Amino acid sequence: MFTPADLLMIPGPTPLPEGVRQAMGLPAIGHRSPEFKAIMKRVLPALQWAFQTQHEVLLYTASGTGAMEAALVNTLNPGDKVLGLTCGVFSARWSEVARSLGLTVVEAAVPAGQPNLPEQLKARLDQETGEPFKAVMLIHSETSTGVLNPVEDLVNIIQDYGALSIVDTVTSLASSPCPVDAWGIDVAVSGSQKGFMIPPGLSFLSYSEKAWQAHQQVRHPGFYFNFAKTRKAQADFTTPYTPATHLIMALDVALAQMQAEGLDAVHARHVQNRNAVRAGVSALGLELLVPDDRYASLAATSVKPPAGISVADIRAGLKKAFGIVVADGQKDLKGQIFRIGHLGYVHPRDVFTTMAALEQVLGHLGHTVKGHAVEAAQQVYQTVPVACAL
Ligand SMILES: Cc1ncc(COP(=O)(O)O)c(C=O)c1O
């Protein structure tokens, strides 16, 4: 049953700040009104700030997958050869979208819990004969496993090779450092219900000059997601079609809150929360799906249940006794892991609560708890001053 007090510790949708909830309850405004234009005048530059780009960020009324489709349909022609770096469910989606658009897709996959490594990409590109890849599609934070890919190094290799880099930053933007221009990412896509702390329904896409040039060679760039139509409308601080006005009003509030906190502080908070969750579950004797801290996502941590205890029981215990929601694994990992989300409007208070509850639930389920999760989390927060912007 829906409990309004549930604490969402899932990797999106994430909890909503009070100001965002209030914005969602404001009276309606027209999307061609001066009031809406004033909001767009604040939101569009603030998105550039979040993406750390001087280039334009396009805003779509669609979930993250919509922006993924926009990225491919606007920069590539049917038949173009592309490489998809896969490390889980969401990175695999790039290849699914690409195939649906008639692209010729080659996939390079690694086992669940492992990152796509630069040396593997270099070797894969070097061995390719025949027509070169026009684009490489990859992911920054793979939400299905909790892997954080070394995107800067991967993009460097793609640039040297001469292809477009098209990156899913859905659960990394606004949680992990991801300076789009400094890293030379050609197209980055993100979504509203993650680090941006608002409900689902908007997605954002940044494009480089090289991506824009590619767009101009595209024969069928589509209608709804069309870069040129969206760019033309945004030049006048509006949208080509009716947008989700209330989500954009909420985004205005969320971006102002992020700017008040500061991008570095937002990232530092996510690092602390990620480290505290990893320390907490490790203290309980649980195994992490991503053992190497260097490749651990700042958005979500995947944890294997102890022998003899099911993911379903852990999730049900957390939900029933404490109103805390954590996610199951997806596809092959369903029932094999549970995923603790710690992105967006998540603060040490939420991590402490979750760690204490998890320890208690595991104890009730018969797990011999080896250490104390809260104590381990406290040690993490003691090492760095806590930037609390509740
Ligand atoms: C990394 C990643 N990419 C893409 C998506 C798909 O976004 P949406 O469900 O908003 O379409 C998600 C959603 O969870 C995600 O986590």
Side-chain angles (χ1 to χ4, degrees):
M1 201 183 65
F2 174 70
T3 316
D6 274 355
L7 173 59
L8 277 191
M9 295 297 283
I10 58 174
T14 59
L16 304 176
E18 180 59 28
V20 165
R21 291 207 299 266
Q22 285 176 6
M24 293 301 292
L26 287 172
I29 58 170
H31 63 291
R32 303 293 179 218
S33 65
E35 291 81 7
F36 185 70
K37 199 174 262 200
I39 293 170
M40 288 291 277
K41 278 187 180 165
R42 289 192 295 272
V43 161
L44 294 177
L47 281 173
Q48 287 178 293
W49 168 84
F51 276 70
Q52 294 176 268
T53 181
Q54 297 301 314
H55 297 113
E56 197 168 12
V57 178
L58 302 180
L59 190 160
Y60 293 113
T61 290
S63 76
T65 309
M68 292 174 80
E69 180 160 339
L72 301 187
V73 78
N74 276 287
T75 58
L76 296 157
N77 282 304
D80 281 352
K81 196 166 103 179
V82 294
L83 177 65
L85 298 186
T86 300
C87 58
V89 171
F90 292 106
S91 40
R93 185 168 295 179
W94 272 133
S95 299
E96 291 177 65
V97 178
R99 279 189 208 101
S100 81
L101 295 171
L103 302 176
T104 304
V105 182
V106 176
E107 238 178 309
V110 292
Q114 290 181 24
N116 298 112
L117 290 173
E119 51 274 24
Q120 290 166 350
L121 171 62
K122 174 98 179 52
R124 186 67 193 76
L125 293 173
D126 286 349
Q127 85 178 50
E128 192 62 20
T129 52
E131 208 173 308
F133 295 112
K134 286 258 170 62
V136 179
M137 307 163 307
L138 61 156
I139 201 163
H140 193 189
S141 162
E142 173 52 80
T143 323
S144 69
T145 59
V147 157
L148 188 72
N149 268 330
V151 162
E152 183 180 12
D153 295 342
L154 293 166
V155 168
N156 272 335
I157 291 167
I158 298 165
Q159 260 178 350
D160 288 349
Y161 177 81
L164 285 173
S165 54
I166 302 184
V167 187
D168 175 335
T169 61
V170 171
T171 51
S172 62
L173 235 295
S175 65
S176 310
C178 184
V180 162
D181 284 0
W183 288 1
I185 298 174
D186 289 309
V187 184
V189 300
S190 198
S192 58
Q193 76 276 27
K194 310 284 186 177
F196 288 93
M197 309 185 292
I198 67 169
L202 294 181
S203 48
F204 320 115
L205 181 152
S206 72
Y207 61 90
S208 68
E209 186 51 39
K210 190 168 146 192
W212 178 249
Q213 281 164 14
H215 173 68
Q216 284 165 327
Q217 307 303 315
V218 164
R219 293 189 294 279
H220 300 289
F223 192 82
Y224 187 74
F225 291 122
N226 190 296
F227 275 10
K229 284 181 196 291
T230 312
R231 176 173 157 149
K232 185 162 174 265
Q234 287 191 188
D236 193 28
F237 300 101
T238 186
T239 55
Y241 318 109
T242 312
T245 43
H246 271 80
L247 288 176
I248 295 172
M249 286 148 71
L251 181 63
D252 187 25
V253 172
L255 285 166
Q257 184 166 322
M258 282 168 59
Q259 290 187 320
E261 188 177 357
L263 204 50
D264 288 346
V266 168
H267 297 154
R269 175 165 55 81
H270 282 83
V271 170
Q272 284 177 303
N273 288 346
R274 185 269 318 261
N275 291 351
V277 167
R278 285 172 71 83
V281 296
S282 301
L284 296 176
L286 306 184
E287 198 185 329
L288 297 162
L289 181 68
V290 180
D292 191 332
D293 288 342
R294 287 174 304 167
Y295 302 120
S297 168
L298 301 188
T301 296
S302 294
V303 186
K304 297 183 188 176
I309 296 179
S310 74
V311 164
D313 284 346
I314 294 172
R315 293 184 64 228
L318 286 171
K319 165 85 178 158
K320 280 194 193 129
F322 298 101
I324 296 175
V325 186
V326 299
D328 202 338
Q330 291 170 283
K331 297 206 169 163
D332 291 352
L333 289 172
K334 193 169 172 56
Q336 306 299 309
I337 54 167
F338 59 97
R339 293 175 299 145
I340 303 175
H342 36 75
L343 89 157
Y345 189 55
V346 171
H347 290 269
R349 175 189 65 189
D350 310 313
V351 172
F352 279 134
T353 308
T354 306
M355 289 300 105
L358 180 63
E359 184 170 329
Q360 187 136 340
V361 166
L362 286 173
H364 275 293
L365 292 171
H367 175 60
T368 312
V369 174
K370 297 206 172 87
H372 292 296
V374 168
E375 200 177 297
Q378 271 171 334
Q379 275 164 16
V380 170
Y381 290 120
Q382 270 160 16
T383 58
V384 197
V386 172
C388 190
L390 282 176

